[in-house]
């Protein structure tokens, strides 16, 4: 997929494409996005917290509570985690690689596909 194609895609579609899940139906797409975004947010959040001072970690947790203004949280992150976008990209790549490796392992464990008998 070219950069021009990606620039016209919605962010959710770009994420699914990056994970190798481009052709999902809408109900499958919603479920996959929910799972992927939860995992991605968890991974990036953990990485951010590792670099925070105790005060920053406390403020991040306060701003991350359900019902808090997401724009305030994103603004705070932009000020305190300048490489936030890079973290997202790295964790997305890691998730895609993990999924590919897992699929490869499962295919190896399953062995070759059975041959259809010719009668």
């Amino acid at each position: 997929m070219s950069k021009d194609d990606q620039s016209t895609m919605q962010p959710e579609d770009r994420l699914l494409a990056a994970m190798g899940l481009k052709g999902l139906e809408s109900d499958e797409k919603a479920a996959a996005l929910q799972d992927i975004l939860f995992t991605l947010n968890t991974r990036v959040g953990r990485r951010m917290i590792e670099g925070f001072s105790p005060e920053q970690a406390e403020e991040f947790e306060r701003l991350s509570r359900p019902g808090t203004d997401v724009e305030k949280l994103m603004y705070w992150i932009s000020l305190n985690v300048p490489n936030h976008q890079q973290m997202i990209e790295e964790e997305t790549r890691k998730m895609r690689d993990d999924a590919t490796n897992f699929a490869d392992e499962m295919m190896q464990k399953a062995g070759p596909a059975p041959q259809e008998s010719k009668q």
Side-chain angles (χ1 to χ4, degrees), residues 86 88-98:
Q86 179 182 349
I88 292 170
E89 291 167 8
E90 289 170 357
E91 291 302 323
T92 300
R93 267 192 304 276
K94 287 179 189 176
M95 287 174 59
R96 183 187 58 230
D97 293 346
D98 290 347

Side-chain angles (χ1 to χ4, degrees), residues 2 5 19 30 62 69 71 97 100 118:
S2 73
D5 291 341
M19 299 301 291
R62 186 184 68 73
D69 185 348
E71 287 184 28
D97 293 346
T100 300
K118 296 180 182 178

